[in-house]
């Protein structure tokens, strides 16, 4: 009966039932996306994503969340993920990111 109700599903911390489903639904209901960073010449850092609201998820917003002056010097960004095909692609600051995209920001030397 509980499975038929909207926004209801059983969990058990003691037995570990549906904890992954709970975490996934929290992300969906809070309307958040996870964006990962990739330093130049290194592998992506999946341990500490940058969290953005779904309605504000452009490269520009991403730069402002990390370090505001970075946007002023931004040349372009490389993006890997669901927001584009093929991967990676060079994008401008108006590109809209998707959940779990990986971003590498590049500025002139």
């Amino acid at each position: 009966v509980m499975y038929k109700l909207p926004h209801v599903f059983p969990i058990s911390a003691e037995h570990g039932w549906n904890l992954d489903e709970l975490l996934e639904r929290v992300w969906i209901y809070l309307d958040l996306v996870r964006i990962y960073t990739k330093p130049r010449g290194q592998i992506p850092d999946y341990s500490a994503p940058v969290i953005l609201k779904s309605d504000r998820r452009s490269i520009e917003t991403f730069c402002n969340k990390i370090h505001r002056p970075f946007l002023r010097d931004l040349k372009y960004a490389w993006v890997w993920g669901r927001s584009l095909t093929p991967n990676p692609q060079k994008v401008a600051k108006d590109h809209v990111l998707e959940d779990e995209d990986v971003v590498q920001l590049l500025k002139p030397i």
Side-chain angles (χ1 to χ4, degrees):
V1 174
M2 290 180 70
Y3 286 107
K4 295 180 181 180
L5 298 172
H7 311 293
V8 174
F9 60 99
I11 64 167
S12 171
E14 181 179 346
H15 298 290
W17 297 335
N18 285 338
L19 296 180
D20 291 338
E21 178 70 19
L22 173 65
L23 183 60
E24 195 60 37
R25 288 196 187 195
V26 167
W27 281 105
I28 292 168
Y29 292 148
L30 291 177
D31 205 21
L32 300 173
V33 293
R34 297 158 285 208
I35 308 298
Y36 300 102
T37 57
K38 181 187 178 307
R40 189 184 303 203
Q42 298 178 20
I43 61 172
D45 179 14
Y46 293 109
S47 64
V50 176
I51 309 300
L52 301 175
K53 291 289 286 176
S54 281
D55 60 342
R56 299 184 48 88
R57 54 193 163 99
S58 67
I59 293 289
E60 182 176 5
T61 307
F62 178 76
C63 287
N64 286 333
K65 186 89 171 189
I66 293 175
H67 186 59
R68 285 189 190 275
F70 204 96
L71 182 63
R72 177 180 61 235
D73 300 330
L74 181 67
K75 184 176 179 183
Y76 59 87
W78 284 103
V79 176
W80 292 258
R82 291 187 279 183
S83 65
L84 40 78
T85 305
N87 284 308
Q89 280 191 26
K90 194 186 299 188
V91 298
K93 65 182 180 181
D94 60 344
H95 177 73
V96 177
L97 299 164
E98 293 291 329
D99 189 30
E100 298 185 339
D101 276 358
V102 176
V103 175
Q104 181 180 38
L105 302 171
L106 298 169
K107 59 182 185 176
I109 298 174

